[in-house]
Amino acid sequence: MDSEHTAQVTADANDMDVPVRVFSGARPTGRQHIGNYLGAIQNYVALQDEAECFYCIVDYHALTTFEQTERIARNTRDMVLDWLAAGMDPSRAVIFAQSDVPQITELHMLLSMIVPLSWLTRAPTFREQSEAHPDNVNYGLLGYPVLMASDILLYKATTVPVGEDQVPHLELAREIARRFNHRFGETFPVPQAQLTEFPRVMGIDGTHKMSKSLDNHIELADTPEDLRTRVLSMVTDPQRRYRTDPGRPEVCNVYTLHTYYSTPEEQAQVYHCCTNALQGCVECKEWLSRNLDAALAPFRARRDAFAADGDRVEQILGDGAARARSVATETLREVRERVGLRPQPR
Ligand code: SF4
């Protein structure tokens, strides 16, 4: 599962001439799927060699909409196991949970004092989530963008890797940083989006982005049997009704996954056989399933080894939280001074 892609971090990420620092937060969704890997995790791995990286499991965010909160701790552990197995390295990146750094709540509160209510009520996330959860339109949901900005600004991140659809969310964090700097003096780098070139992976239904909530995903740690079952259930070219019909690989998600998990020669063969009706879809999926399984077997082995290693995940999260707290403490000291609060007693 080595990344073929290289992520480039440019030093123009801020006007304050500070070192490039990457922050990315992910909600604790538990075991990761191949969409998470291709769309984000492989980028996280590549960035570790290029910048100081803070990778955070944003468990407070999960509380705004998460109905089964008893799963948060287990999901956090599962995510970390997948991240480690995929190549994220705690000796090169700070891997931690949001709620293990209590300074985040203080910065959230302080930033909330300068954010106009209108910025929050018109935020796309608030509108979407209010419609999706009309019974639970809570304060946390409204303040979500401030918490997100706090995540980034607490670590003075200069760079946030995002997909194009997330750029508006980052824009609010940039506005908050600018507003604070304007009012209290240059404190925060204005974070830049690093637009990822990584793919938006479709689910096995072929129509929606791969997502656990839609149950259209293939997990990185799936057993070979589950993997095969999932691949065999994938929706293919809807116009190809019989084996004798030529297919259209360019509209088929099975072919798309072949482009990630099969060799160039195999991809050419799949394309040729599909467009000339020389191969059935079941055969094509079996082929993909074998290649996916071969690609994921080393991942499963690494994951099993980490899982069997006692308290390894807790140690990694503990070390990551200590490193994150050290940066957060310094940022908050500066922020308190800027806004006019007296220094905290030691
Ligand atoms: Fe898709 Fe393969 Fe069927 Fe072609 S043969 S439609 S690429 S599953």
Side-chain angles (χ1 to χ4, degrees):
M1 288 187 41
D2 291 339
S3 168
E4 293 174 5
H5 303 262
T6 53
Q8 296 212 330
V9 177
T10 53
D12 66 350
N14 59 82
D15 303 326
M16 296 176 62
D17 196 24
V18 294
V20 175
R21 184 178 281 166
V22 171
F23 177 89
S24 188
R27 289 169 72 118
T29 52
R31 286 163 50 130
Q32 303 288 277
H33 53 66
I34 59 176
N36 297 134
Y37 178 74
L38 294 170
I41 298 172
Q42 66 172 345
N43 192 27
Y44 290 171
V45 174
L47 285 169
Q48 294 176 132
D49 293 327
E50 302 193 16
E52 188 182 12
C53 296
F54 285 70
Y55 295 136
C56 180
I57 295 180
V58 290
D59 44 4
Y60 280 147
H61 285 284
L63 292 171
T64 56
T65 54
F66 211 76
E67 282 153 20
Q68 292 163 304
T69 54
E70 71 277 8
R71 284 200 201 155
I72 291 177
R74 195 180 72 204
N75 281 355
T76 300
R77 176 180 163 79
D78 277 334
M79 268 181 88
V80 174
L81 284 172
D82 282 354
W83 281 2
L84 296 172
M88 289 171 65
D89 178 357
S91 71
R92 288 185 289 161
V94 182
I95 298 172
F96 66 107
Q98 182 186 34
S99 65
D100 286 340
V101 183
Q103 289 86 346
I104 188 70
T105 55
E106 185 175 352
L107 185 61
H108 178 203
M109 187 275 294
L110 292 173
L111 293 180
S112 74
M113 305 299 180
I114 63 159
V115 178
L117 196 55
S118 59
W119 287 11
L120 303 179
T121 51
R122 67 169 184 250
T125 313
F126 179 66
R127 290 207 309 266
E128 286 160 18
Q129 294 295 343
S130 301
E131 283 166 23
H133 305 275
D135 302 338
N136 187 24
V137 183
N138 56 59
Y139 168 75
L141 207 53
L142 185 69
Y144 193 103
V146 185
L147 185 55
M148 195 181 111
S150 305
D151 285 325
I152 299 165
L153 302 183
L154 187 58
Y155 305 104
K156 295 200 173 186
T158 59
T159 306
V160 182
V162 288
E164 207 147 353
D165 53 338
Q166 296 164 316
V167 171
H169 299 150
L170 183 63
E171 193 48 47
L172 200 48
R174 288 163 52 79
E175 281 298 313
I176 293 171
R178 283 194 204 101
R179 195 172 173 90
F180 187 96
N181 290 347
H182 178 71
R183 184 147 171 202
F184 297 112
E186 286 295 314
T187 307
F188 298 115
V190 177
Q192 302 282 317
Q194 186 219 31
L195 277 180
T196 59
E197 294 169 9
F198 298 92
R200 186 172 188 264
V201 181
M202 306 305 283
I204 60 176
D205 56 7
T207 48
H208 299 96
K209 186 177 168 183
M210 189 173 285
S211 152
K212 287 182 84 165
S213 56
L214 295 175
D215 193 23
N216 67 358
H217 60 292
I218 297 171
E219 288 183 354
L220 294 167
D222 267 344
T223 62
E225 299 73 35
D226 289 345
L227 195 66
R228 181 170 174 272
T229 304
R230 285 275 172 174
V231 172
L232 287 178
S233 68
M234 286 179 73
V235 173
T236 64
D237 174 5
Q239 284 185 21
R240 191 175 191 215
R241 299 179 60 199
Y242 303 104
R243 195 186 187 288
T244 48
D245 294 336
R248 299 172 301 162
E250 56 280 0
V251 300
C252 176
N253 198 28
V254 176
Y255 179 72
T256 305
L257 290 188
H258 269 294
T259 64
Y260 298 120
Y261 290 101
S262 302
T263 64
E265 295 73 28
E266 288 171 326
Q267 291 168 36
Q269 197 176 340
V270 168
Y271 193 95
H272 175 74
C273 290
C274 176
T275 51
N276 292 284
L278 299 174
Q279 173 177 262
C281 290
V282 172
E283 208 180 325
C284 185
K285 291 175 182 178
E286 293 279 15
W287 194 353
L288 174 63
S289 169
R290 283 193 299 276
N291 288 357
L292 249 177
D293 185 42
L296 294 178
F299 170 89
R300 289 193 297 264
R302 285 194 296 270
R303 190 186 199 279
D304 288 347
F306 280 117
D309 189 0
D311 294 333
R312 183 103 172 93
V313 168
E314 282 309 315
Q315 282 167 7
I316 287 168
L317 287 175
D319 290 349
R323 290 160 71 190
R325 276 199 296 267
S326 156
V327 176
T329 302
E330 186 51 33
T331 303
L332 259 186
R333 187 200 57 71
E334 187 182 352
V335 168
R336 287 177 62 98
E337 188 181 316
R338 292 275 189 199
V339 301
L341 294 172
R342 61 181 182 76
Q344 276 183 318
R346 294 194 181 263

